[in-house]
Amino acid sequence: MTNHWIDIRNSDVIMISGSNAAENHPISFKWVMKAKEKGAKLLSLDPRFTRTSSKADFYAPIRSGSDIAWLGGMIMYILDNELYHKDYVRLYTNAPFIVNTDFKMPGELDGVFSGYDPKKRSYDKKAWAFKTDASGEVKKDAEMKDPMCVLQLLKKHFSRYTLDKVSAICGTPVDKLREVYKIFASTGKPNRTGTIMYAMGWTQHTVGTQNIRTMAMIQLLLGNIGMAGGGVNALRGESNVQGSTDHCLLFHILPGYLKTPRAKDTNLSTYNKNYTPSTKEPYSANWWSNYPKYSNSLLRAHFGLSADLDTQYTWLPKLDDGQNASWLVLFDEMLKGKFKGFFAWGQNPACSGANAGKVRAALGNLDWMVNVNLFDNETGSFWRGPGVDPGQIKTEVFLLPCAMSFEKEGSITNSGRWAQWRYAAVKPPAPTDADIVNELQWRVRKLYSEQNGVFPEPIVNLDWNYGPKGPDGKISHMDTHLIAKEINGYYLEDIQDPKTGAIIAKKGDLVVSFAALRDDGKTSSGNWLYCNSYNEGGNNMARRGRSDPTGTGLYSGWTWCWPVNRRIIYNRASVDEYGKPWASHKPVIYWNGSKWIGDVPDGGWPPLRNPDGTWNEKTRLAYIMKPHGVSHIFGPGLADGPFPEHYEPLECPIERNLMNPQRINPVSKMFTGKMDQFLNCDDRYPLVATTYRVTEHWQTGVLSRWLPWQAEMMPANFVEMSVELAEEKGITNGQKVVVTSARNKVDAVAIVTKRFKPFQVAGATVHQVGLPWSFGWATTKEHDVMANGKPYSNHTFGDSSNLLTASIGDANTMIPETKAFMVNVEKK
């Protein structure tokens, strides 16, 4: 989230799309209702009329997989009616930047941008570059009238997204489109703000990244980024998803969103050069120019002072050039027998993974698997699941019980980037994750030391000082405070003032903030973003101050927020050129003549202009993480285009894309194995389907289906359908049905409801259905895996709905497309 939960109360208009926040993020919805009490309007966009919709001032239906068309229509509406925040767009975006004249867009090139190679399914982005002058500075048109400036290109690109065409694609009536556009676009006025709340309903698509970018562009046009009550706010699906991502859950990043080294990054100097951006823009802060300070400090956190930095870099694992090690690819390679072992740690991919039947088959090609979880589940017991002959499975499976999150002391980082320290509620009956990792580390390290294994240096030189050690050097119990301190970072030598020679930081002290990190090896930090979270003043994540002097809900003394306790990022965009807040009644920060007051500012530089109107030579532009110093309406760094374009899902109900001749995202990641079947516009699978969570179960249900009271409240997989579809199919409410796709089938209970209505798409009636993904075979009566040695008494019904979903990934992130696919529903 660019903002945070409490800040939602400051919004004038709240749009919730790709999310059912009332049920799945109820704490967030508390602040939505606070905003409504103050007069805010709530908009709900969803294929289904949800509990969120029931609280909305205005609801509009939308077919799953058509979000870019819907949002693109809003961009056209904003531009045509000149409802954008002109000063914000001019000052804080790249709208004035001029693009090369040979750049062409999908309206000119049959659905693709310049540089597309159909054989490689990728773009050569040379034509997407900006024009520059002799010094390398980007050419700009301050009036934003040049036909090749970003704003004019944006107008041209989205001029095709008319109300009638968007309605024909999305199935949303024109009058509802117009009303939602009107309400949300009203926040383009400087004294009004709107926010967007979204979840997996937007991200799990082949255009998931561009879905979010389209909304971000709208927020930039309206001047809603950096503002109280504004922002683009992701509702994370679990309380520490943000924290796990910050600490490199994904294959392509190291902690703090540093890049995972690749083979081409042959040494530390080359690595840092390849990922440290440069700029010719004279007033850009270009904060990522500090990249070597963060990467070198990370090496010291990993390996201490065991060797010089260049040597330590050689110990880091490297990806092959071009290698993709994302979720879909991992299980595709596993199916091909490319893996010997697999740790399924706190997850249940046999139910959560797209095309779950393929995932289950892949698990059978391992030599061994370790399932670390509280309960047995479909992953750990895949070998005895429906249709599986255990005698044909070679995989040896180990179940390691572990502690629940509430049984451990440590931090979680919520959607709003607040890192909050939690104590252990009870003593766990099983080891914590940290203690399991410690045991593994100890044993592997001992083997390398005793048996002189291949390339031992990365293992034997790991800096592992997280608790008291016995005579053998083994840590008896991991101390999470020591882990948190290492993440923050230490001074590894005394630091002297370069001018006076005075000692300004002592060896062994905790680093005060990431501004003090160094590239010479004299500081360590396990994650530069968390530098300042735990320092000599104590554990800032454990703070519980309740003061809110700004009155805007910052609560800066409550816990700690990255970076450096900044609650709203890019907050210097919340003021005009002179440092005066756009919205004076809810300022995030303001300039008092000598310093910024309010939230921790995005840098202490003064406003863009002096009081007399002259340019302030000491200033720096507001978007400090961008090399050009401004936000990106035109985004040349993305894999599938610098502007979003509507493409249909892999499986959809219409034969052609109404927006352009290219049906699906031309650079999405396709899989072509026997288990990757897909069918488009096939009469056997005429229904659009989507998946979602339910309040009563946690993710795939591993932590909730075993609890009798939870199973009683939500006992069965179900499929929601409209009254019209049920009549057409002869299905009654509560009847058992089978839902089929090109890949698999699942049993479900039919819920016939007015919450779904048929869509009119491309002149035809299109039905949509919805299923939860919280069920699995392990707690069904037919496949009881025995809880505590006794038969389970509260069985559930139905297997995972992800058996139905397809194997295809977003072009930028490789997130699977599980929110739009085609199925059929028949009576069982």
Coordinates of all heavy atoms in Angstrom, one line a residue, residues 570-619:
Y570 N 5.9 8.9 -1.1 CA 5.8 10.0 -2.1 C 5.0 11.2 -1.6 O 4.2 11.8 -2.3 CB 5.3 9.5 -3.4 CG 6.2 8.5 -4.1 CD1 5.8 7.2 -4.4 CD2 7.6 8.7 -4.3 CE1 6.7 6.2 -4.9 CE2 8.4 7.8 -4.8 CZ 8.0 6.6 -5.2 OH 8.8 5.6 -5.7
N571 N 5.1 11.5 -0.3 CA 4.3 12.5 0.3 C 4.7 13.9 -0.1 O 3.9 14.8 0.1 CB 4.2 12.3 1.8 CG 5.6 12.2 2.5 OD1 6.6 12.9 2.0 ND2 5.7 11.5 3.6
R572 N 5.9 14.1 -0.7 CA 6.2 15.5 -1.1 C 5.4 15.8 -2.4 O 5.4 17.0 -2.8 CB 7.7 15.6 -1.4 CG 8.5 15.8 -0.1 CD 9.9 16.2 -0.3 NE 10.6 15.3 -1.1 CZ 11.2 15.6 -2.2 NH1 11.2 16.9 -2.7 NH2 11.9 14.8 -2.9
A573 N 4.7 14.8 -3.0 CA 3.7 15.1 -4.1 C 2.4 15.6 -3.5 O 1.5 16.0 -4.3 CB 3.6 13.9 -4.9
S574 N 2.2 15.7 -2.2 CA 1.0 16.1 -1.6 C 0.9 17.6 -1.5 O -0.1 18.2 -1.0 CB 0.7 15.5 -0.3 OG 1.6 16.0 0.7
V575 N 2.0 18.3 -1.9 CA 2.1 19.8 -1.8 C 2.4 20.4 -3.2 O 2.8 19.7 -4.1 CB 3.2 20.2 -0.8 CG1 2.9 19.6 0.6 CG2 4.6 19.7 -1.3
D576 N 2.1 21.7 -3.3 CA 2.4 22.4 -4.5 C 3.8 22.8 -4.6 O 4.7 22.4 -3.8 CB 1.4 23.6 -4.7 CG 1.7 24.7 -3.7 OD1 2.7 24.6 -3.0 OD2 0.8 25.6 -3.6
E577 N 4.2 23.6 -5.6 CA 5.6 24.0 -5.8 C 6.2 24.7 -4.6 O 7.4 24.7 -4.5 CB 5.7 24.8 -7.1 CG 5.3 24.1 -8.4 CD 5.2 25.0 -9.5 OE1 4.1 25.6 -9.6 OE2 6.1 25.2 -10.3
Y578 N 5.3 25.3 -3.8 CA 5.8 26.1 -2.7 C 5.8 25.3 -1.3 O 6.0 25.9 -0.3 CB 5.0 27.4 -2.6 CG 5.2 28.2 -3.8 CD1 4.3 28.1 -4.9 CD2 6.2 29.2 -4.0 CE1 4.4 28.9 -6.0 CE2 6.4 29.9 -5.1 CZ 5.5 29.8 -6.1 OH 5.6 30.5 -7.3
G579 N 5.3 24.1 -1.4 CA 5.3 23.3 -0.2 C 3.9 23.4 0.6 O 3.8 23.0 1.7
K580 N 2.9 24.0 -0.1 CA 1.6 24.1 0.5 C 0.8 22.9 0.1 O 0.7 22.5 -1.0 CB 0.9 25.4 0.0 CG 1.6 26.7 0.4 CD 0.9 27.9 -0.1 CE 1.7 29.2 0.3 NZ 1.0 30.4 -0.3
P581 N 0.1 22.3 1.1 CA -0.7 21.1 0.8 C -1.8 21.4 -0.3 O -2.5 22.4 -0.2 CB -1.3 20.7 2.1 CG -0.5 21.4 3.1 CD 0.0 22.6 2.5
W582 N -2.0 20.4 -1.2 CA -3.1 20.5 -2.1 C -4.4 20.5 -1.4 O -5.3 21.3 -1.7 CB -3.1 19.4 -3.1 CG -1.9 19.2 -4.0 CD1 -1.0 18.2 -4.0 CD2 -1.5 20.1 -5.0 NE1 0.0 18.4 -5.0 CE2 -0.3 19.6 -5.6 CE3 -2.0 21.3 -5.5 CZ2 0.4 20.2 -6.7 CZ3 -1.3 21.9 -6.6 CH2 -0.1 21.4 -7.2
A583 N -4.5 19.7 -0.4 CA -5.7 19.6 0.5 C -5.3 20.1 1.9 O -4.9 19.3 2.7 CB -6.2 18.1 0.5
S584 N -5.6 21.4 2.1 CA -5.1 22.0 3.4 C -5.8 21.5 4.6 O -5.3 21.6 5.7 CB -5.3 23.5 3.3 OG -6.7 23.8 3.0
H585 N -7.0 20.9 4.4 CA -7.7 20.4 5.6 C -7.3 19.0 6.0 O -7.7 18.5 7.1 CB -9.3 20.4 5.3 CG -9.6 19.5 4.1 ND1 -9.2 19.7 2.8 CD2 -10.4 18.3 4.1 CE1 -9.7 18.8 2.0 NE2 -10.4 17.9 2.8
K586 N -6.5 18.3 5.2 CA -5.9 17.0 5.6 C -4.5 16.9 5.1 O -4.2 16.0 4.3 CB -6.8 15.9 5.1 CG -7.2 16.0 3.6 CD -8.2 14.8 3.3 CE -8.7 14.9 1.9 NZ -9.6 13.8 1.5
P587 N -3.6 17.7 5.6 CA -2.2 17.7 5.1 C -1.4 16.5 5.5 O -1.6 16.1 6.7 CB -1.6 19.0 5.7 CG -2.4 19.2 6.9 CD -3.8 18.7 6.6
V588 N -0.6 16.0 4.6 CA 0.3 14.9 5.0 C 1.6 15.5 5.6 O 2.1 15.2 6.6 CB 0.6 14.0 3.8 CG1 1.5 12.8 4.3 CG2 -0.7 13.4 3.2
I589 N 2.1 16.5 4.8 CA 3.2 17.3 5.2 C 3.0 18.7 4.7 O 2.2 19.0 3.9 CB 4.6 16.8 4.7 CG1 4.6 16.8 3.2 CG2 4.9 15.4 5.2 CD1 5.9 16.5 2.6
Y590 N 3.8 19.7 5.3 CA 3.8 21.0 4.7 C 5.1 21.7 5.1 O 5.8 21.2 6.1 CB 2.6 21.9 5.3 CG 2.6 22.2 6.7 CD1 3.3 23.3 7.2 CD2 2.0 21.3 7.6 CE1 3.3 23.6 8.6 CE2 2.0 21.5 9.0 CZ 2.7 22.7 9.5 OH 2.7 22.9 10.8
W591 N 5.5 22.7 4.3 CA 6.8 23.4 4.5 C 6.6 24.6 5.4 O 5.8 25.5 5.0 CB 7.4 23.7 3.2 CG 8.8 24.4 3.2 CD1 9.1 25.7 3.0 CD2 10.0 23.7 3.5 NE1 10.4 25.9 3.1 CE2 11.0 24.7 3.4 CE3 10.4 22.4 3.8 CZ2 12.4 24.4 3.6 CZ3 11.7 22.1 4.0 CH2 12.7 23.1 3.9
N592 N 7.3 24.7 6.5 CA 7.1 25.8 7.4 C 8.1 27.0 7.2 O 8.2 27.9 8.0 CB 7.1 25.4 8.9 CG 8.5 25.0 9.3 OD1 9.5 25.0 8.6 ND2 8.7 24.8 10.6
G593 N 8.8 26.9 6.1 CA 9.8 27.9 5.8 C 11.2 27.4 6.0 O 12.2 27.9 5.4
S594 N 11.4 26.4 6.9 CA 12.7 25.8 7.1 C 12.8 24.3 7.1 O 13.8 23.7 6.9 CB 13.3 26.4 8.4 OG 12.4 26.0 9.5
K595 N 11.6 23.7 7.3 CA 11.6 22.2 7.4 C 10.2 21.7 7.1 O 9.2 22.5 7.1 CB 12.1 21.7 8.7 CG 11.3 22.0 9.9 CD 11.8 21.4 11.2 CE 10.9 21.7 12.4 NZ 11.5 21.1 13.6
W596 N 10.1 20.4 6.9 CA 8.8 19.8 6.6 C 8.2 19.4 8.0 O 8.8 18.9 8.9 CB 8.9 18.5 5.8 CG 9.4 18.8 4.4 CD1 10.6 18.6 3.9 CD2 8.6 19.3 3.3 NE1 10.7 19.0 2.5 CE2 9.4 19.5 2.2 CE3 7.3 19.8 3.2 CZ2 9.0 19.9 0.9 CZ3 6.8 20.2 2.0 CH2 7.7 20.3 0.9
I597 N 6.9 19.6 8.1 CA 6.1 19.2 9.3 C 5.1 18.2 8.9 O 4.5 18.2 7.8 CB 5.4 20.5 9.9 CG1 6.4 21.6 10.2 CG2 4.6 20.1 11.1 CD1 7.4 21.3 11.2
G598 N 4.9 17.2 9.8 CA 3.9 16.1 9.5 C 4.5 14.8 9.5 O 5.3 14.4 10.3
D599 N 4.2 14.0 8.4 CA 4.8 12.7 8.2 C 6.3 12.8 7.9 O 6.8 13.9 7.6 CB 4.1 12.0 7.0 CG 4.4 10.5 6.9 OD1 4.9 10.0 7.9 OD2 4.0 9.9 5.9
V600 N 7.0 11.7 8.0 CA 8.4 11.7 7.6 C 8.5 12.0 6.1 O 7.9 11.2 5.4 CB 9.1 10.4 8.0 CG1 10.6 10.4 7.5 CG2 9.0 10.1 9.5
P601 N 9.1 13.1 5.7 CA 9.0 13.4 4.3 C 9.9 12.5 3.4 O 10.8 11.9 3.9 CB 9.5 14.8 4.2 CG 10.5 14.9 5.4 CD 9.9 14.0 6.5
D602 N 9.6 12.4 2.1 CA 10.4 11.7 1.2 C 11.7 12.5 0.9 O 11.9 12.9 -0.2 CB 9.7 11.4 -0.1 CG 8.8 10.2 -0.1 OD1 9.4 9.1 0.2 OD2 7.6 10.2 -0.3
G603 N 12.5 12.7 1.9 CA 13.7 13.5 1.8 C 13.5 14.9 2.3 O 12.4 15.5 2.2
G604 N 14.5 15.5 2.9 CA 14.4 16.8 3.5 C 14.6 18.0 2.6 O 14.7 19.1 3.1
W605 N 14.7 17.8 1.3 CA 15.0 18.9 0.4 C 13.8 19.9 0.5 O 12.7 19.5 0.7 CB 15.1 18.4 -1.0 CG 16.2 17.4 -1.1 CD1 17.6 17.5 -1.1 CD2 16.0 15.9 -1.3 NE1 18.2 16.4 -1.3 CE2 17.3 15.3 -1.4 CE3 14.9 15.1 -1.3 CZ2 17.5 14.0 -1.5 CZ3 15.1 13.7 -1.5 CH2 16.4 13.2 -1.5
P606 N 14.1 21.2 0.2 CA 13.0 22.2 0.2 C 12.1 22.0 -1.0 O 12.3 21.3 -1.9 CB 13.8 23.5 0.2 CG 15.1 23.1 -0.5 CD 15.4 21.7 -0.1
P607 N 11.0 22.8 -1.0 CA 10.0 22.8 -2.1 C 10.7 23.1 -3.4 O 11.8 23.6 -3.5 CB 9.0 23.8 -1.7 CG 9.1 23.9 -0.2 CD 10.5 23.7 0.1
L608 N 10.0 22.9 -4.5 CA 10.5 23.2 -5.8 C 10.8 24.7 -6.1 O 11.8 25.0 -6.7 CB 9.5 22.7 -6.9 CG 9.1 21.2 -6.9 CD1 8.1 20.9 -8.0 CD2 10.4 20.4 -7.1
R609 N 10.0 25.5 -5.5 CA 10.2 27.0 -5.7 C 10.4 27.7 -4.4 O 9.9 27.4 -3.3 CB 9.0 27.6 -6.5 CG 9.0 27.0 -7.9 CD 8.0 27.8 -8.8 NE 7.9 27.3 -10.1 CZ 8.8 27.5 -11.1 NH1 9.8 28.4 -10.9 NH2 8.6 27.0 -12.3
N610 N 11.2 28.8 -4.5 CA 11.3 29.7 -3.4 C 10.1 30.6 -3.3 O 9.3 30.7 -4.2 CB 12.5 30.6 -3.6 CG 13.8 29.8 -3.7 OD1 14.1 29.1 -2.7 ND2 14.6 30.0 -4.7
P611 N 9.9 31.3 -2.1 CA 8.7 32.1 -1.9 C 8.5 33.2 -3.0 O 7.4 33.6 -3.3 CB 8.9 32.8 -0.6 CG 9.8 31.8 0.2 CD 10.7 31.2 -0.9
D612 N 9.7 33.6 -3.6 CA 9.6 34.7 -4.7 C 9.2 34.1 -6.1 O 9.2 34.8 -7.1 CB 10.8 35.5 -4.8 CG 12.1 34.6 -5.1 OD1 11.9 33.4 -5.4 OD2 13.2 35.2 -5.1
G613 N 9.0 32.8 -6.1 CA 8.7 32.1 -7.4 C 9.8 31.6 -8.2 O 9.6 30.9 -9.2
T614 N 11.1 31.9 -7.8 CA 12.2 31.3 -8.5 C 12.4 29.8 -8.1 O 12.0 29.4 -7.1 CB 13.5 32.1 -8.1 OG1 13.7 32.0 -6.7 CG2 13.4 33.6 -8.6
W615 N 13.1 29.1 -9.0 CA 13.3 27.7 -8.8 C 14.4 27.6 -7.7 O 15.4 28.3 -7.7 CB 13.8 27.1 -10.1 CG 14.0 25.6 -10.0 CD1 15.1 24.9 -9.8 CD2 12.9 24.7 -10.2 NE1 14.8 23.5 -9.7 CE2 13.5 23.4 -10.0 CE3 11.5 24.7 -10.4 CZ2 12.7 22.2 -10.1 CZ3 10.8 23.6 -10.5 CH2 11.4 22.3 -10.3
N616 N 14.1 26.6 -6.8 CA 15.1 26.4 -5.7 C 16.1 25.3 -6.2 O 15.8 24.2 -6.4 CB 14.3 25.8 -4.5 CG 15.1 25.8 -3.2 OD1 16.3 25.6 -3.3 ND2 14.5 26.2 -2.1
E617 N 17.3 25.8 -6.3 CA 18.4 24.9 -6.8 C 18.7 23.7 -5.9 O 19.4 22.8 -6.3 CB 19.7 25.7 -7.1 CG 19.5 26.7 -8.2 CD 19.2 26.0 -9.6 OE1 19.7 25.0 -9.8 OE2 18.4 26.6 -10.4
K618 N 18.3 23.8 -4.6 CA 18.6 22.8 -3.6 C 17.5 21.7 -3.6 O 17.6 20.7 -2.9 CB 18.7 23.4 -2.2 CG 19.9 24.3 -2.1 CD 20.0 24.8 -0.7 CE 21.2 25.7 -0.5 NZ 21.3 26.3 0.9
T619 N 16.4 21.9 -4.4 CA 15.3 21.0 -4.3 C 15.6 19.7 -5.1 O 16.6 19.6 -5.9 CB 14.1 21.6 -5.0 OG1 12.9 20.8 -4.6 CG2 14.2 21.7 -6.5

